[in-house]
Amino acid sequence: MKLAKRDQAYIWHPLTQHQTARPPIGIVKAKGASLWDENGTEYIDGIASWYTAMYGHSHPQIVEAVSQQMKELDFVMFSGFTHEPAVKLSEQLMEILPENQQKIFFNDNGSTAVEAGIKMALQFHHNAGEKRDTLIAFENGFHGDTFGAMSASGLASYNAPFEDFLLKVIRIPTPQSDNLDAVLKQLTTIIAKNNCAAFIFEPLVQGAAGMKFHTAEGLDALIKKCQEAEIICIADEIMTGFGKTGTNFASDQLQNKPDIMCLGKALTAGMFPLSITSCSQRVFDRFLSDQVTKGFFHAHTFSAHPLGCAAAIAGLKLLSSAEILEKRTYIETAHQQFANRIKSHVKVKEVRCKGVILAIDLQVEMERYGNLRDTLYQFFIDRGVALRPLGSTVYVLPPYVITEKELQKIYDTVEEALAIA
Ligand SMILES: *Cc1c(COP(=O)(O)O)cnc(C)c1O
């Protein structure tokens, strides 16, 4: 029996309404930017499997690093023990993270990295005897699906059933070229009227919101205002990290650096679930005390998994390699050219590019998981292109190693899709 059929007996998939969803596609092989299903059909992975596999699937250097690691040290608990992959990865990250980042806390996925970041910020104030109970976050942000992360997220389609159970969060609009004064004013009022602990944001690009951009100048001004009030600024770089916005981290494009950063997804080149919450010395020092309970009593069983660390170290080497840098520049240029080609199409409301991210807002109203969205999704799949439109936004965020031919096929298919939208 085919995978697609066997799957249906026992498996409950994420983000899926099982009553109406088509059976999933059984994938048996992945290499570079390609996926193959059990019938031999090939798909181009146009969003690098949720922007994780940025160096391509099954990259030989990553595979080799993980297999070597597996033979030496599979796993050891990370409380009371340490290991070479974690130490080496931390040393190497320090070379590329913003200078104020000084400590690395390991978790096992994006949501738990955010969860740890929020808890660090809350305890930072608690340890100083201050009660601060409010988080500030952007409208339409996405930070993950555990309760703290979900509280910070502002996408109602995910959160509605849980709204009565969330942390206290006040939302502000993202800063655009025409609203910064108003947003700053709103933030000033929020800070004056509440005990704000942290400001959490996806820097420069809100991924799940539909690859929405905001200005670095605006975000800088908001961070400054928060830091003046001792509000811990948490940059959720789980999507933006590792080169997607043109720089290693989106925070590299800011003057005011976040106090805490969350890394995940492409951190391990899509090979392993591992995440990091990094922080400044100042944040770390607030947890030092003769009192044991002032420490950060938070752990995930698989923290700093050696296999994930080994994949991440191999990934970092690729990130800064001449080959990948060249590919990144190629994709950026190709995106720009395609954007120019389609920007005046009647079905295109807006097209925008940043780094290797290309997003097209269609001139149609549709629900996030509505019928037209599903039709579009299927249209791409039927043509061997794996893209996941976010409502009426189609975006392309390909693995850096995608070939010219594959990228052109994605563009052509998107252009063809405009006719049915
Ligand atoms: C994917 C994502 C998360 C959640 O990561 P998981 O590994 O899915 O838990 C959090 N924040 C952002 C910005 C993300 O893109």
Side-chain angles (χ1 to χ4, degrees), residues 51 109-112 114 142-144 202 236 238-239 265:
Y51 16 102
N109 69 68
S111 303
T112 57
V114 169
F142 178 75
H143 300 285
E202 291 165 90
D236 176 352
I238 292 164
M239 192 286 285
K265 291 200 167 115

Side-chain angles (χ1 to χ4, degrees), residues 376-392:
L376 266 180
Y377 174 81
Q378 197 58 41
F379 180 90
F380 294 129
I381 287 290
D382 290 344
R383 282 153 188 78
V385 174
L387 294 177
R388 289 182 58 88
L390 293 159
S392 54

Side-chain angles (χ1 to χ4, degrees), residues 324-335 356:
I324 294 292
L325 287 173
E326 199 179 300
K327 291 295 261 177
R328 280 162 60 183
T329 310
Y330 162 70
I331 296 169
E332 289 182 24
T333 314
H335 277 355
V356 298

